[in-house]
Amino acid sequence: MPFDEEWSAARATAAAGVTMRLDQVPTDPGGGGGGSGGGGDLELNQDHIGAIGSEAYKLHTRLQTDGKHAATATAEAAGGLTKEGFASGAALLEVNSVWESQVKTLVAACANISNGLNYSLASHAKDEQQLQADFTASAIDEYLK
């Protein structure tokens, strides 16, 4: 089976799996919320979010170096094959070019994940501080009335 067909089949299977899982989630007639223990509420655990962001940054750093470790050897091998008249030299260079492109995409994705999570944590902390300040001011205002 060609790669495109296999990839399409895998995507369809994954999409069907997501639909099945979503269809199995129990409905909450009250509209959610309220800490009913049903597990339907989104929870933000800053330690977990921070750990994921940290791992994304570590992966980003490692991919920048480890993803390129074979570039020189590949270029030399491709040059040698081409010099000897093998068409596989040009094909090897093309494979290496695609590989480098994919590594760059992964590095950028890891950076986006890490930066996005760091921003989310900082934004959440700022919002919490503002809510605390608003609540404190509101409580003081109530006492002054």
Side-chain angles (χ1 to χ4, degrees), residues 71-138:
T72 303
T74 303
E76 289 174 3
L81 288 167
T82 301
K83 182 179 173 184
E84 294 298 322
F86 289 100
S88 58
L92 187 56
L93 279 178
E94 178 64 24
V95 167
N96 189 53
S97 176
V98 171
W99 173 262
E100 288 178 358
S101 172
Q102 295 300 314
V103 167
K104 287 178 185 177
T105 300
L106 286 172
V107 167
C110 289
N112 284 339
I113 291 168
S114 179
N115 293 340
L117 292 175
N118 287 340
Y119 174 80
S120 294
L121 288 174
S123 176
H124 179 72
K126 182 181 171 187
D127 290 346
E128 286 290 320
Q129 288 175 344
Q130 184 62 46
L131 287 171
Q132 179 67 29
D134 290 348
F135 177 74
T136 302
S138 174

Side-chain angles (χ1 to χ4, degrees), residues 13-43:
T13 302
V18 169
T19 302
M20 264 180 33
R21 282 182 292 207
L22 290 176
D23 289 343
Q24 294 175 1
V25 173
T27 59
D28 181 8
S36 62
D41 292 336
L42 177 63
E43 293 181 23

Side-chain angles (χ1 to χ4, degrees), residues 55-65 106-108 110-111:
E55 290 301 316
Y57 179 75
K58 288 177 191 175
L59 183 57
H60 169 268
T61 303
R62 290 214 39 212
L63 277 172
Q64 283 185 312
T65 55
L106 286 172
V107 167
C110 289

